[in-house]
Amino acid sequence: MSEAVATNRKARHDYAIEDTLEAGLVLTGTEVKSLRAGHCSLQEGYAVVRNGEAFLKGVHIAPYEQGSHANVDSIRDRKLLLHNQELRRLTIKLKERGYTLVPLKLYFLRGHAKVELGLAKGRKLYDKRHKLREDEEKRKMQDAMKRFSRGERI
């Protein structure tokens, strides 16, 4: 996998990601150029499935600076390229209460723009606090084990 153009770091904090999948994006030429320049934000983005097609909504790709009339709306809906079997599976999961599709990462793979989507369930505030506490304890434990293996006092 190549280097990420944009990542949604807050998504893993706000949601419990249960499954991930990769989807292609239908973009215009100026959007691709803007992405290659790194002008993209996934923070408010989400994906929907309607009429048997998946769309990415709320993702901001800034207009290309050297573009002219070819520039399109920066937060327009963008079609996602998925296999039919993946679409059916996602449609079933999204009908369950509390599930949503959030973009986690946007990158180029062999010249094609790809987005990593996460099938996620929203976290409550107390769940977020609990997750932060668990992560902190895990970090402390790893640090203590590393120091112990070096022969340092704990």
Side-chain angles (χ1 to χ4, degrees), residues 14-26:
D14 290 340
Y15 300 97
I17 309 295
E18 293 187 7
D19 191 20
T20 61
L21 67 142
E22 179 182 77
L25 275 169
V26 177

Side-chain angles (χ1 to χ4, degrees), residues 14-59:
D14 290 340
Y15 300 97
I17 309 295
E18 293 187 7
D19 191 20
T20 61
L21 67 142
E22 179 182 77
L25 275 169
V26 177
L27 299 171
T28 64
T30 55
E31 286 178 318
V32 173
K33 289 181 178 189
S34 185
L35 274 180
R36 288 196 188 277
H39 302 299
C40 178
S41 172
L42 300 175
Q43 302 307 323
E44 302 295 321
Y46 63 99
V48 295
V49 178
R50 65 172 182 253
N51 300 330
E53 296 180 329
F55 294 93
L56 191 61
K57 299 168 93 41
V59 171

Side-chain angles (χ1 to χ4, degrees), residues 85-123:
Q85 144 188 349
E86 290 175 324
L87 276 171
R88 282 192 295 271
R89 186 173 57 90
L90 284 178
T91 305
I92 292 168
K93 274 294 199 182
L94 290 174
K95 285 182 180 174
E96 289 182 33
R97 182 169 164 78
Y99 280 102
T100 188
L101 266 177
V102 292
L104 302 174
K105 191 185 319 181
L106 204 140
Y107 54 94
F108 285 95
L109 184 66
R110 293 188 293 274
H112 297 284
K114 303 284 184 179
V115 64
E116 182 181 2
L117 296 171
L119 185 63
K121 209 168 199 165
R123 281 197 176 124

